[in-house]
Amino acid sequence: MRTLRFVLGDQLSRGLSALAGLDVERDVVLLVEVQEEATYVRHHQQKIALVLSAMRHFADELRAEGVAVDYVRLDDPANTGSFTGELGRALLRHAVDRVVVTEPGEWRVFERMRSWSHAFGTSIEIREDDRFLCSHRRFEAWAKGRKALRMEFFYREMRRETGWLMREGEPEGGRWNFDPENRKALPRDVVPPSRLRFPPDAITREVMALVAQRFGDHFGELDSFGWAVTRSDALEALAEFIAVALPRFGDYQDAMQRGEDFLFHALLSPCINIGLLSPREVCEAALSAWAQGEAPLPAVEGFVRQILGWREYVRGLYWLRMPGYAATNFLEASRPLPAFYWTGETELRCLREAIEGTRRNAYAHHIQRLMITGNFALLAGIAPAEVEAWYLIVYADAFEWVELPNTHGMALHADGGLLGSKPYAASGAYIDRMSDYCGHCIYRPKIKLGADACPFNYLYWHFLMENQRRLAGNPRMAMPYRTLARMTVERRDEIARQSREFLAGLDPS
């Protein structure tokens, strides 16, 4: 039996299920660069370059093994521009008995994939993506019958199943997480390390030229590209994180500082999400560092929680609740996305720092995403679909299965509390505590109202007032609503007036 094995751009793993049982003498591996995937949203230029370069390197690695690779480039004049079109052309080129694919990460691709067998009259075997640590079936079994699908309880079960950071059935250190230790602002005398970046090689430079030609009007800067695009580079990036950043990652994972885009963060999510690294191996590398005394328990637990906890959890939730999940809008938010999300041209220093860094690197760390750009979108009542499209566009690691639940559920509370027990709404005080942004801003975080007041302050209370009917019954919102109840009518009216004026002044994108 001769098989065509179709590998997508975020499946660049030699151990991919679609490649299991590969017959080097008979089978063909198909990889295609298609316009549709680069433009269904207008992805950051670096994200397109990352995926295309990594695909070309992966194809070369397969060829070096003697594998027959059918590779379709974006600029091939015969390229149809879609997965379906290119599979159809490949079936005309190759006499095969069946097609084997690994399930995609995104619902829209899965819907098309399920139509291929009927469309082409060919056997299409869709295999499970076993690179994840929790299967769809396992997540469904965990979620069944639960009123609330809280990540913390999912994470504990995964810890028990893997045995990671467990001792005789109990968590190492006697606690499941070390959040209090992992919420420090960056002291002035702590200098973040210089982080490993990878100068573009000939293949990447060729891809960058293509991206500049075809997608040069997309968001983002291309010249600062420095992501790993090969398996060997990704392993080097992992080793660098473990050695130079993991020991202090826990302490400062929530910190923000002007001019420091990376701090002590892993910078591995693009490599993991396109398949150059596996979630298991990155967790095991961190666990090994702890076992050898090279990284403290709070840092390692915090990192493992991001992978074993959040990453696996949001993927499970996405597939459990799609396609309806994306359409929910619990807070009925409808404001257009402000233009400064694309330009960075805003007087709010925190937003400018996060957006300019995103434009440079196709990256921002999780607190910048959640508590700066996400928090503002939540407080301003921006339409979830517009915010989610922005997040999917601007980050190199953004694929819908991971982006949508994090944005829709965690940042915007648009799912009504399925993912998070309360909205992640915060005033300027939080940003001031965790960063040095406010000291360089025209607004003052300690001023609550007036021309010099930080807009996050009055927008926070305006958000509570606007959503009181929806949120007042939430037990975790009881304290802020008690504070709101003690405010005079005059103060509430002034908060509403100033908030309306500020929001009316936002230019839509």
Side-chain angles (χ1 to χ4, degrees):
M1 180 176 288
R2 192 170 192 229
T3 301
L4 181 68
R5 299 175 182 272
F6 193 2
V7 175
L8 307 185
D10 59 349
Q11 298 178 343
L12 308 179
S13 309
R14 186 59 184 86
L16 187 74
S17 61
L19 298 178
L22 173 70
D23 185 337
V24 175
E25 300 299 323
R26 297 177 58 81
D27 295 348
V28 178
V29 174
L30 175 67
L31 291 104
V32 300
E33 303 172 358
V34 292
Q35 183 80 7
E36 185 176 61
E37 292 306 299
T39 57
Y40 72 91
V41 295
R42 293 167 58 85
H43 296 288
H44 194 297
Q45 295 179 65
Q46 285 192 36
K47 181 180 180 181
I48 301 172
L50 167 68
V51 174
L52 298 190
S53 179
M55 287 176 65
R56 294 185 183 190
H57 282 93
F58 186 70
D60 283 350
E61 291 168 5
L62 290 175
R63 292 187 188 105
E65 290 183 38
V67 176
V69 177
D70 183 353
Y71 195 97
V72 180
R73 294 195 173 208
L74 190 69
D75 51 3
D76 183 334
N79 192 325
T80 62
S82 72
F83 285 149
T84 301
E86 287 312 295
L87 177 58
R89 287 207 310 133
L91 288 171
L92 294 176
R93 290 192 297 272
H94 306 287
V96 298
D97 302 292
R98 63 173 182 160
V99 176
V100 172
V101 295
T102 293
E103 63 184 4
E106 301 193 343
W107 180 267
R108 63 183 181 84
V109 180
F110 185 57
E111 286 189 310
R112 293 170 195 170
M113 192 176 281
R114 289 191 296 181
S115 73
W116 290 346
S117 181
H118 177 75
F120 299 119
T122 301
S123 172
I124 309 287
E125 181 185 344
I126 303 175
R127 293 180 175 174
E128 180 181 6
D129 190 347
D130 56 9
R131 297 175 299 169
F132 289 87
L133 297 163
C134 180
S135 69
H136 297 316
R137 188 177 299 106
R138 175 68 187 90
F139 190 86
E140 289 168 6
W142 171 79
K144 188 175 181 179
R146 292 177 182 266
K147 293 181 180 179
L149 304 180
R150 295 290 172 256
M151 189 282 292
E152 178 65 24
F153 301 114
F154 168 78
Y155 170 58
R156 292 180 186 186
E157 285 207 18
M158 293 301 292
R159 286 269 297 275
R160 292 186 183 101
E161 288 188 11
T162 60
W164 290 349
L165 298 178
M166 300 293 293
R167 184 184 297 271
E168 297 180 354
E170 296 298 324
E172 288 283 358
R175 293 158 56 188
W176 288 104
N177 71 65
F178 292 83
D179 276 351
E181 287 88 340
N182 293 345
R183 290 174 176 163
K184 299 182 180 73
L186 193 71
R188 291 183 180 180
D189 60 349
V190 172
V191 179
S194 297
R195 301 306 301 278
L196 179 64
R197 304 293 280 166
F198 296 89
D201 63 6
I203 291 175
T204 303
R205 289 195 299 272
E206 182 181 23
V207 166
M208 290 170 67
L210 177 65
V211 171
Q213 176 189 2
R214 290 256 183 139
F215 312 109
D217 60 342
H218 283 209
F219 177 82
E221 299 171 10
L222 191 57
D223 292 343
S224 53
F225 186 94
W227 297 106
V229 293
T230 66
R231 166 73 173 162
S232 59
D233 284 352
L235 288 170
E236 191 176 347
L238 172 59
E240 185 255 3
F241 165 65
I242 298 296
V244 309
L246 178 61
R248 307 191 88 167
F249 164 78
D251 286 341
Y252 306 122
Q253 64 173 296
D254 287 5
M256 298 171 283
Q257 182 165 299
R258 286 182 312 118
E260 293 289 348
D261 294 331
F262 303 138
L263 295 171
F264 295 92
H265 290 273
L267 313 183
L268 298 175
S269 52
C271 294
I272 301 171
N273 289 355
I274 64 173
L276 300 182
L277 293 172
S278 76
R280 180 175 296 278
E281 71 185 329
V282 299
C283 287
E284 289 178 344
L287 294 167
S288 177
W290 172 71
Q292 296 172 30
E294 295 169 357
L297 179 59
V300 173
E301 186 280 317
F303 179 69
V304 168
R305 180 158 24 103
Q306 287 191 352
I307 307 295
L308 180 64
W310 271 113
R311 186 175 188 271
E312 296 290 326
Y313 168 77
V314 298
R315 187 248 188 175
L317 187 67
Y318 175 84
W319 284 103
L320 183 70
R321 291 302 180 108
M322 283 296 282
Y325 184 76
T328 57
N329 187 359
F330 175 72
L331 299 178
E332 300 177 26
S334 59
R335 193 177 307 280
L337 187 77
F340 68 70
Y341 271 75
W342 302 110
T343 66
E345 295 173 1
T346 172
E347 293 178 324
L348 286 129
R349 186 60 184 254
C350 56
L351 283 160
R352 187 162 77 245
E353 288 282 337
I355 294 166
E356 288 179 347
T358 298
R359 186 169 58 231
R360 280 193 300 274
N361 305 307
Y363 172 84
H365 68 71
H366 67 281
I367 293 299
Q368 291 174 312
R369 300 189 199 196
L370 177 63
M371 301 309 299
I372 303 296
T373 52
N375 184 27
F376 184 87
L378 173 69
L379 300 183
I382 300 172
E386 294 201 26
V387 184
E388 289 147 19
W390 184 81
Y391 275 85
L392 191 58
I393 286 168
V394 302
Y395 295 121
D397 58 6
F399 295 88
E400 192 183 63
W401 66 266
V402 65
E403 174 276 324
L404 181 63
N406 272 300
T407 308
H408 193 80
M410 192 174 188
L412 301 179
H413 204 69
D415 64 5
L418 179 67
L419 185 151
S421 58
K422 72 177 186 67
Y424 276 86
S427 68
Y430 174 85
I431 299 167
D432 189 31
R433 184 168 67 253
M434 297 308 302
S435 78
D436 66 349
Y437 297 158
C438 301
H440 302 268
C441 185
I442 67 167
Y443 300 113
R444 304 268 65 87
K446 296 189 185 332
I447 300 177
K448 309 304 181 184
L449 282 170
D452 295 330
C454 173
F456 278 90
N457 289 341
Y458 49 80
L459 289 177
Y460 173 79
W461 293 110
H462 182 252
F463 168 80
L464 293 182
M465 290 189 292
E466 289 287 290
N467 291 285
Q468 189 161 2
R469 173 177 58 85
R470 304 177 186 94
L471 297 175
N474 185 323
R476 296 198 63 195
M477 301 298 291
M479 184 176 295
Y481 274 113
R482 282 197 296 269
T483 303
L484 181 65
R486 291 194 293 269
M487 290 184 185
T488 64
V489 172
E490 291 76 15
R491 185 170 183 81
R492 289 165 64 111
D493 287 347
E494 182 58 22
I495 288 170
R497 183 197 63 77
Q498 189 163 354
S499 296
R500 286 195 296 267
E501 287 182 359
F502 177 85
L503 293 170
L506 297 176
D507 293 327
S509 59

